[in-house]
Structure formats: structure tokens, C-alpha cells
Amino acid sequence: MDEAPIIYAVPVRDLPGRLVRTVRTGRSPQGQRLGIAFTRPELLAAAMGADQQWEELCESALRGMLRPLGIDVIQVDPLLVAPPLDPRNGDRAAPTVPAQSPAALAGPRSEVSAVPVSTGSGAGQGR
């Protein structure tokens, strides 16, 4: 019997001026690019903030979006995702959690603008 696919809450962002959402990626403490996914929206909010937009995606769909970018590792349920870099000067934005937290599993967020995510009707909050 086939098992139902696991559905993840995947952080996304809207592309300015376009009707497209993109998945967010991160980096491990060692610098490896990672996909980011959460088993529950509450865990995403705890790691990235309640205002973080997200979409529901199955693992195969997320892997299909990450593969062309050379990303083959998905960090599931990271405890902390660092704030994005400030695009104006390259500095990190003010952290929402202490930077010295030992729970950091995924590094700074970065956007993947080449991978659109459809906005299905059953998707997540933060819209």
C-alpha cells in the first residue's frame, strides 16, 4: 500500500512586482546550501517568526525545485534560522533571537528567485 506523501511547511517570499512566490533556502554552519522545511507551521513560526510566509509542499516537489540549484539536502525542522542579510549594506538584520544560541541549525536565509512556487488554495498563513 502506498503511503501518503509528507507535506511540509516551506518558507517562501513574494517577488516584488510579480505574482510569484519563491522558496527560501539557507546555509549550514559549514556553508553548504540547504533547502528548509518544517513538519508543522508552528515550528516554522518558532524558527523564522510568525510573519514568515509559507506554502505547503510535498518533499518531491521541494526537491524538484531545489535540484536545478544544486541543492540536494533539506534541513527539516531547524530550531533557528538566522535573519536575512540587509540588502542595502550586506549586514545582517537585527536578530530576533540571540546570535549565540547553540540551537542554530540553518544559517542565514537567502532567496531563490529562479524557483517559483505556486500559491494553491490550501497553502499556509502569512498571506
Side-chain angles (χ1 to χ4, degrees):
M1 191 161 101
D2 292 332
E3 292 183 32
I6 297 172
I7 304 298
Y8 291 112
V10 177
V12 298
R13 75 173 184 98
D14 293 325
L15 286 179
R18 298 172 59 191
L19 297 176
V20 176
R21 284 196 162 167
T22 61
V23 297
R24 291 190 180 265
T25 63
R27 292 193 182 271
S28 70
Q30 296 78 29
Q32 178 184 19
R33 288 186 70 192
L34 306 166
I36 302 171
F38 295 86
T39 54
R40 296 191 333 253
E42 299 82 19
L43 297 174
L44 181 144
M48 300 183 77
D51 61 338
Q52 173 61 54
Q53 297 178 338
W54 58 275
E55 295 286 339
E56 290 179 337
L57 291 174
C58 67
E59 181 179 351
S60 63
L62 179 57
R63 286 194 184 281
M65 293 175 187
L66 296 172
R67 190 174 301 115
L69 302 169
I71 299 173
D72 59 357
V73 175
I74 298 173
Q75 176 67 53
V76 178
D77 292 338
L79 300 178
L80 171 68
V81 178
L85 297 177
D86 184 339
R88 294 170 290 174
N89 60 15
D91 294 334
R92 286 190 182 174
T96 57
V97 294
Q100 67 273 15
S101 171
L105 296 181
R109 292 186 290 186
S110 61
E111 293 77 31
V112 180
S113 59
V115 185
V117 177
S118 68
T119 55
S121 60
Q125 301 174 11
R127 296 176 173 230

